[in-house]
Amino acid sequence: EWKARAGLAEAGSTPLQLMITTRERQTLQSGNELILFSGRVINPTDREQQVPPIKAEMRDQQTQKIVHRWTIAPPARVLAPGSSASFNSAEVDVPQGGELLTITLGA
């Protein structure tokens, strides 16, 4: 939970790390929900790493059920040792009840 509050996510089987740098949610005039966020994929290792797609999920805070999910293309195919790359995502029509954002790396 502390990782989620700090904007960090699990990286699965990759040593790469994720960090959310900005997060915003808006209700549009149409009534649709818009989720905007950006972040960085970080390679803390001393070896080049392949960057998998980024998975995003919105969960209901009370039930923890996934209400919406989508995939974000990797910002780079490969990250050099000690480097990072930024990514952005905007998703419209996120259902009500999706309060918790989780991002992970993985196919």
Side-chain angles (χ1 to χ4, degrees), residues 45-80:
T45 71
D46 59 358
R47 293 180 34 201
E48 188 175 83
Q49 299 291 328
Q50 297 285 328
V51 182
I54 301 166
K55 304 291 185 177
E57 296 178 338
M58 296 297 298
R59 293 180 182 268
D60 181 275
Q61 190 165 358
Q62 291 184 352
T63 66
Q64 298 296 308
K65 289 185 180 179
I66 297 170
V67 298
H68 191 67
R69 66 172 57 145
W70 67 101
T71 301
I72 304 158
R77 290 181 147 165
V78 174
L79 281 180

Side-chain angles (χ1 to χ4, degrees), residues 12-83:
S13 63
T14 178
L16 297 175
Q17 299 173 349
L18 288 170
M19 179 177 65
I20 297 174
T21 55
T22 60
R23 183 179 358 199
E24 185 178 339
R25 186 174 191 150
Q26 301 174 8
T27 301
L28 304 175
Q29 285 184 332
S30 65
N32 293 337
E33 291 283 319
L34 171 67
I35 301 289
L36 302 163
F37 68 92
S38 60
R40 299 195 69 74
V41 179
I42 304 161
N43 180 1
T45 71
D46 59 358
R47 293 180 34 201
E48 188 175 83
Q49 299 291 328
Q50 297 285 328
V51 182
I54 301 166
K55 304 291 185 177
E57 296 178 338
M58 296 297 298
R59 293 180 182 268
D60 181 275
Q61 190 165 358
Q62 291 184 352
T63 66
Q64 298 296 308
K65 289 185 180 179
I66 297 170
V67 298
H68 191 67
R69 66 172 57 145
W70 67 101
T71 301
I72 304 158
R77 290 181 147 165
V78 174
L79 281 180
S83 69

Side-chain angles (χ1 to χ4, degrees), residues 77-95:
R77 290 181 147 165
V78 174
L79 281 180
S83 69
S84 66
S86 61
F87 65 89
N88 299 297
S89 180
E91 190 73 5
V92 180
D93 293 334
V94 176

